[in-house]
Amino acid sequence: MNQLSLAIDLSRCIGCKTCVAACRNYHGLTDHASDMPGKMPYYLRVESRREGSFPNLKLESWVVPCQHCNNAPCVKACKSGSISKDEQTGIVRIDQGKCQGSGDCLKACPYGVIQFDAARNKAHKCDMCWDLVHSGQKPVCAQVCLTDAIRFGEKQLLRMELEAEGKEILKRMSAQSVLYYRNSV
């Protein structure tokens, strides 16, 4: 399997949430007439961490999409068999036709990235823009990132590129399929 992956650069991400907005729009997750801020569904979110004290403050931001886990707990938790990990790409997907809306996958996800549509009684999540990827394009988040903080490709190739560039891969954050890195200090 050639695990497809995103690589997130903490040195470049400025926390602007352009990727979040583009993802919501592309996947139709936003009903501007009824959704309240903070209540809109999302497939990825931006987190940040502040370090230091004034005047030497440092802010790191990063994107948290579905991690397309190696042994995805959502796949194991799904009793209907609607969640699977694609053997060729490593992308974890939900088959909406099979989803019975039990919500077990939401509880099982350690990253909190699976959403639930109560109106349709279906779980849904990032599928790494499956349709775009299969037509040879990048996921929307990687296409729109203003600072080029999101890369897309095969995980092993991304890892080799990052190492060749002297980037520090953050092992603890990169335990699954998404790689997190920064400039070496």
Side-chain angles (χ1 to χ4, degrees):
M1 168 178 40
N2 293 324
Q3 175 68 57
L4 294 179
S5 179
L6 296 171
I8 314 296
D9 187 346
L10 278 67
S11 304
R12 297 185 69 93
C13 181
I14 58 173
C16 67
K17 299 184 183 176
T18 299
C19 55
V20 175
C23 176
R24 281 180 177 157
N25 287 332
Y26 181 76
H27 292 287
L29 298 178
T30 308
D31 179 355
H32 296 288
S34 64
D35 289 340
M36 296 296 294
K39 302 287 183 193
M40 292 183 204
Y42 56 86
Y43 286 167
L44 38 101
R45 65 182 182 272
V46 175
E47 293 186 0
S48 60
R49 168 180 49 234
R50 282 185 216 120
E51 294 178 357
S53 58
F54 184 79
N56 299 315
L57 288 172
K58 179 181 178 185
L59 177 68
E60 280 188 324
S61 299
W62 60 92
V63 178
V64 180
C66 175
Q67 301 291 299
H68 301 281
C69 299
N70 303 322
N71 294 307
C74 60
V75 172
K76 295 173 188 164
C78 180
K79 293 176 182 76
S80 68
S82 63
I83 305 177
S84 62
K85 185 167 177 83
D86 184 70
E87 291 181 18
Q88 291 184 329
T89 64
I91 295 174
V92 176
R93 300 182 64 212
I94 299 177
D95 180 338
Q96 294 294 295
K98 291 182 182 177
C99 180
Q100 298 174 353
S102 72
D104 293 336
C105 57
L106 280 79
K107 297 173 202 153
C109 177
Y111 298 95
V113 295
I114 301 175
Q115 300 291 298
F116 189 75
D117 182 343
R120 292 179 46 236
N121 195 40
K122 304 280 184 192
H124 55 108
K125 63 172 219 50
C126 165
D127 64 1
M128 212 177 290
C129 295
W130 179 266
D131 55 335
L132 293 177
V133 168
H134 277 277
S135 66
Q137 299 176 61
K138 297 179 196 176
V140 169
C141 59
Q143 288 182 35
V144 302
C145 182
L146 298 173
T147 61
D148 293 326
I150 304 174
R151 297 186 193 189
F152 170 74
E154 290 183 28
K155 183 180 179 183
Q156 292 306 323
L157 293 176
L158 286 170
R159 182 180 295 279
M160 289 188 309
E161 286 174 17
L162 296 173
E163 289 171 353
E165 294 170 13
K167 305 293 185 183
E168 174 191 5
I169 297 174
L170 306 172
K171 289 182 177 34
R172 187 173 182 168
M173 290 178 75
S174 304
Q176 299 299 329
S177 297
V178 177
L179 297 171
Y180 291 91
Y181 68 98
R182 66 167 71 104
N183 291 331
S184 294
V185 185

